[in-house]
Amino acid sequence: MLLTMIKPLFKNKKFIIGITIFLFFLLSGLLGPYFYKVDPTQMSWDFEQSPSANHPLGTDTYGRDILAQLLHGIRSSLYVGFLAAIISLVIGSIIGSLAAVKRGIIDDILMAITNIVLTTPSILIAILIASYLRVRSLEVVAVILGLFQWPWYARAIRAQLMSVMSREYVYLSRMAGYSDLRLVVEDLLPTIATYAFMSFVLFINGGIMGEAGLSLIGLGPTQGISLGLMLQWSVLMDGIRRGLWWWFVPPGIAIVAVTASLMVISTTMDEVFNPRLREE
């Protein structure tokens, strides 16, 4: 059944391009550090060297290898994106499905919370929280971002599940004595699996962009290396003004390519699985 669902995607050229680009960077982040065994934190006397045989992407102000930083940075940024996406998906799925099943006062309370979070400037709240934390690991940054991405998803699946609740097989499950949890897991969530995956892709995108934004203003991870931190370091060391393109261009390209590929994947999935958007 799963193969039948995803088969149309691989007939779409845009999806193939998007997934190819994303997999390239995903594999670069996962496998790159094992093949290019250079310590990204190791300083040397090769200060601000342009790309060469010894340093394919040059070095920074401290003589650290840019390619090594890029490979580790891709891994870290994707990790933050995936973790933030999981957090957002879980919160949104729980709130949206509970609101659809319980209705009444519980629905009103959950939707009120959702609307409050939705109308709150989430990036400002994330900045405020991050500014009070002296130590920010990748996991902490992911949690901060994941806590504020879910409202639109919760509202969307609530609306979809409320329409599903009126179908006959749901009534039969109720008559069979299904608990709310079993009803949600076995009957409701499978009906929104495609939409959930599309939303998960967008959540990853938001996590990567959010980490880059926080890092650029100095509120990103205080441990490790990420694409956003690479950009921040190049800005702090005036690399852009001094024309050290090998320092800021690679992470910039990586962020744009990954997020653009995720957008293409999500948009293509919507075109394939949404009858209203299918091309005649």
Side-chain angles (χ1 to χ4, degrees):
M1 181 178 178
L2 180 61
L3 291 176
T4 304
M5 290 178 61
I6 66 175
K7 189 176 180 179
L9 289 173
F10 290 94
K11 296 180 179 179
N12 189 295
K13 293 182 179 179
K14 289 189 294 184
F15 178 81
I16 293 175
I17 293 173
I19 196 68
T20 300
I21 294 173
F22 179 72
L23 287 177
F24 169 77
F25 282 96
L26 178 63
L27 293 176
S28 296
L30 292 177
L31 303 179
Y34 294 105
F35 289 97
Y36 191 71
K37 298 180 180 180
V38 176
D39 186 354
T41 63
Q42 181 64 46
M43 299 182 185
S44 70
W45 292 104
D46 297 327
F47 304 131
E48 299 180 356
Q49 295 295 309
S50 59
S52 63
N54 293 330
H55 304 286
L57 288 181
T59 61
D60 62 13
T61 301
Y62 300 102
R64 298 174 299 188
D65 190 273
I66 297 295
L67 179 57
Q69 291 183 30
L70 181 67
L71 295 174
H72 285 80
I74 291 173
R75 175 191 290 183
S76 297
S77 293
L78 286 173
Y79 174 64
V80 171
F82 272 98
L83 187 54
I86 292 172
I87 294 170
S88 297
L89 193 74
V90 169
I91 296 175
S93 297
I94 291 174
I95 291 181
S97 57
L98 276 178
V101 172
K102 292 296 186 180
R103 302 194 180 186
I105 186 65
I106 294 179
D107 180 22
D108 293 339
I109 293 173
L110 292 176
M111 284 301 99
I113 295 173
T114 301
N115 291 333
I116 291 172
V117 178
L118 185 64
T119 55
T120 301
S122 57
I123 188 61
L124 295 181
I125 300 299
I127 290 173
L128 182 63
I129 295 174
S131 64
Y132 281 99
L133 301 175
R134 286 189 174 184
V135 178
R136 297 178 296 274
S137 63
L138 295 173
E139 291 79 10
V140 169
V141 172
V143 169
I144 293 174
L145 295 171
L147 288 176
F148 299 100
Q149 292 192 103
W150 57 267
W152 62 269
Y153 170 69
R155 288 173 61 90
I157 67 167
R158 170 185 173 271
Q160 293 184 37
L161 293 182
M162 288 185 74
S163 66
V164 174
M165 289 289 290
S166 61
R167 298 181 183 176
E168 291 185 2
Y169 70 87
V170 177
Y171 284 121
L172 292 175
S173 296
R174 285 290 199 189
M175 293 175 62
Y178 278 30
S179 64
D180 289 339
L181 179 60
R182 185 178 180 185
L183 183 69
V184 169
V185 173
E186 294 187 12
D187 288 348
L188 299 184
L189 290 183
T191 65
I192 60 165
T194 302
Y195 182 78
F197 184 76
M198 290 166 48
S199 302
F200 183 73
V201 171
L202 293 177
F203 286 145
I204 296 173
N205 199 331
I208 294 172
M209 294 296 291
E211 182 278 324
L214 288 175
S215 294
L216 274 173
I217 60 175
L219 295 175
T222 55
Q223 304 169 354
I225 298 173
S226 69
L227 296 176
L229 286 174
M230 290 181 67
L231 290 176
Q232 184 206 17
W233 293 336
S234 67
V235 171
L236 290 177
M237 297 301 171
D238 217 9
I240 297 177
R241 186 185 64 81
R242 294 189 290 128
L244 305 179
W245 60 267
W246 57 88
W247 195 354
F248 59 85
V249 170
I253 291 177
I255 291 173
V256 172
V258 171
T259 54
S261 67
L262 289 171
M263 288 298 296
V264 170
I265 292 171
S266 178
T267 303
T268 305
M269 290 183 65
D270 199 17
E271 292 175 355
V272 171
F273 294 117
N274 189 342
R276 297 180 182 178
L277 298 178
R278 289 176 187 164
E279 296 178 359
E280 298 294 337

